[in-house]
Amino acid sequence: MPNYRTFFAGHAVSVIGTWMQRVAQDWLVLELSDSAVAVGVAAALQAVPTLLFGVWGGVLVDRLDRRRTIMGTQAASAVLAAVLAALTLTGTVQLWMVFGLALGLGLVTVLDVPARQAFVTEMVGPEDYVNAQSLNSTIHNLGRLLGPAAAGILIASAGSGLAFAVNAASFVGVLLSLWRVDAHRLRRSAPVPRRRGQAMESLRYVWHRPDLRACMLLVAVIALFGQNFRVVLPLFARDALGGGAATYGWLTSAMGAGAVIGALANAGRERISSWSLLLWAGGFSVVSVLLAGAPGLVVALALLVGLGITNISFNTLARVLLQLSVDASMQGRVIALHATVFLGSTPIGGPLLGWVCEEFGSRVGLLLSGLAPAAAALALLPTLRRLRRRAEVAGPPAVVEPGTRTTPT
């Protein structure tokens, strides 16, 4: 997989900067506003475009050259990071500017996320999807491990602006790697021709598949209530643990360490099932509830490692389940639908969780983050039991070929 190795190397450079920016932006908003709701609004603005246009972004990804699309979105992200760095370093940044740039980055994400996820299927064969996605998750969460810690140090010593500048420079790595990818060795499927109703087609496709429908529902609930870490963790670090930006960085890094462990543990999996998603959703709920009662920093760090493991295991298996289960011509749209559910819930969940944290405290916010996914998992339990029994009767699945429609267990 030489193309995947080339892309992987460039992505590894960029993702550390991305996580530095996330932590720095959250802390900058908190400094400018002293409001958890404002932190939630910034996260929401970054997700609103995906909520509104995510499915249509998937339609475009199915029509366009994915490699060139990613090069364009990554270049645009670099420009936005450079602008935020310049505003912050010159002391002219205001809250509305951060909101505007967050919205701009959200518009880029509409194409970037489904294009990057679908591009994996052009670089590797179906037999390597799980491994490739797990490696993607590993490098993503190594960035989560290193980036926030580095951001905390930079913010404490030089302010948020330098973290934004480092992120802008880090995009050079991924752009160079995409330029070096051998386009002739990619496993490209034929572009989907333009026709009416292509966006709604993905909704019908998922709705008529009980396994995909259950997957999307679990993703929606966990994304809405459980994964707004950028809203709850800054408040948890400051108010519950009595720390500052460095503490927030360490909390995020601990979750990143757990995510790396979870991604590596899932790299060798050969079978993906809706039932396994249910189990990981339950694990995520339990750890979130325990974290809400953490008495101090050491216990919180240990529990965040566990939260990282359960969170990344759930997210990785959900993405692979969707990639293996859909026709090649539908991949961009179904992955975009996943992104719409996964990222597009933030405009609702971010401000909601911010309000809960302001009114009742960050510990109550974490408790809600754990109880809501548990309720969804219990509601889906009968459906997934039926799917599991049906799969056991059918026997082990055949080898999945590109473009083949299968129903995972």
Side-chain angles (χ1 to χ4, degrees):
M1 300 184 292
N3 274 338
Y4 182 77
R5 286 194 295 270
T6 300
F7 175 76
F8 184 83
H11 183 56
V13 175
S14 177
V15 75
I16 295 175
T18 298
W19 275 105
M20 290 179 68
Q21 169 141 341
R22 289 183 183 182
V23 171
Q25 179 178 299
D26 295 342
W27 200 259
L28 177 62
V29 170
L30 197 58
E31 286 181 330
L32 292 172
S33 66
D34 192 32
S35 168
V37 173
V39 177
V41 169
L45 286 170
Q46 199 163 319
V48 160
T50 297
L51 176 64
L52 298 178
F53 310 117
V55 176
W56 286 270
V59 172
L60 289 176
V61 167
D62 281 337
R63 292 176 183 170
L64 301 174
D65 183 299
R66 291 168 182 173
R67 172 172 162 266
R68 293 179 180 176
T69 299
I70 300 169
M71 293 179 76
T73 58
Q74 294 291 295
S77 299
V79 171
L80 292 170
V83 171
L84 185 55
L87 291 171
T88 307
L89 290 171
T90 58
T92 57
V93 67
Q94 297 181 36
L95 187 61
W96 68 267
M97 298 175 183
V98 182
F99 285 167
L101 290 169
L103 180 61
L105 187 59
L107 290 169
V108 174
T109 301
V110 170
L111 284 178
D112 185 68
V113 170
R116 280 191 292 110
Q117 295 293 336
F119 189 51
V120 171
T121 65
E122 294 188 359
M123 293 184 287
V124 303
E127 68 280 1
D128 293 317
Y129 285 177
V130 179
N131 185 260
Q133 284 291 352
S134 295
L135 288 174
N136 269 358
S137 297
T138 300
I139 201 62
H140 177 77
N141 289 289
L142 277 172
R144 179 188 284 184
L145 174 63
L146 300 175
I153 295 171
L154 283 177
I155 294 169
S157 60
S160 301
L162 187 57
F164 300 138
V166 170
N167 180 46
S170 72
F171 284 100
V172 174
V174 70
L175 288 170
L176 284 175
S177 72
L178 287 165
W179 179 69
R180 292 183 59 214
V181 162
D182 185 354
H184 299 292
R185 302 184 68 172
L186 295 175
R187 300 165 177 258
R188 290 176 175 168
S189 56
V192 176
R194 182 189 299 268
R195 66 175 185 274
R196 297 183 64 181
Q198 287 178 308
M200 293 301 298
E201 189 177 355
S202 63
L203 296 174
R204 292 192 296 269
Y205 186 87
V206 170
W207 180 255
H208 289 100
R209 293 279 301 277
D211 55 325
L212 300 186
R213 199 166 62 233
C215 174
M216 287 291 189
L217 179 58
L218 281 174
V219 168
V221 173
I222 288 183
L224 182 64
F225 296 104
Q227 293 187 155
N228 282 291
F229 306 120
R230 295 175 63 183
V231 176
V232 68
L233 287 185
L235 273 294
F236 186 68
R238 188 187 69 179
D239 300 337
L241 301 178
T247 302
Y248 175 39
W250 285 115
L251 292 177
T252 309
S253 292
M255 191 164 62
V260 170
I261 296 170
L264 290 173
N266 281 289
R269 290 181 67 107
E270 296 180 355
R271 295 190 62 189
I272 303 298
S273 69
S274 301
W275 185 259
S276 64
L277 289 184
L278 187 74
L279 297 178
W280 282 114
F284 177 89
S285 298
V286 169
V287 178
S288 295
V289 170
L290 292 175
L291 180 61
L297 179 60
V298 174
V299 175
L301 290 173
L303 287 170
L304 278 163
V305 171
L307 192 65
I309 293 172
T310 55
N311 181 48
I312 201 61
S313 296
F314 175 85
N315 289 338
T316 299
L317 297 186
R319 284 194 298 268
V320 175
L321 179 69
L322 294 175
Q323 285 182 327
L324 285 175
S325 303
V326 304
D327 297 334
S329 62
M330 293 290 298
Q331 279 183 343
R333 280 168 285 174
V334 173
I335 292 172
L337 182 59
H338 170 268
T340 301
V341 172
F342 184 74
L343 299 176
S345 61
T346 304
I348 304 170
L352 173 62
L353 196 60
W355 176 81
V356 170
C357 289
E358 282 198 346
E359 292 294 320
F360 307 104
S362 56
R363 293 186 185 275
V364 176
L366 284 169
L367 187 63
L368 177 62
S369 297
L371 293 179
L378 288 174
L380 287 171
L381 186 59
T383 298
L384 295 183
R385 276 180 173 169
R386 288 195 298 271
L387 287 173
R388 191 183 188 191
R389 286 196 297 267
R390 192 180 306 164
E392 288 172 351
V393 172
V399 176
V400 180
E401 298 296 338
T404 300
R405 176 172 172 170
T406 63
T407 305
T409 57

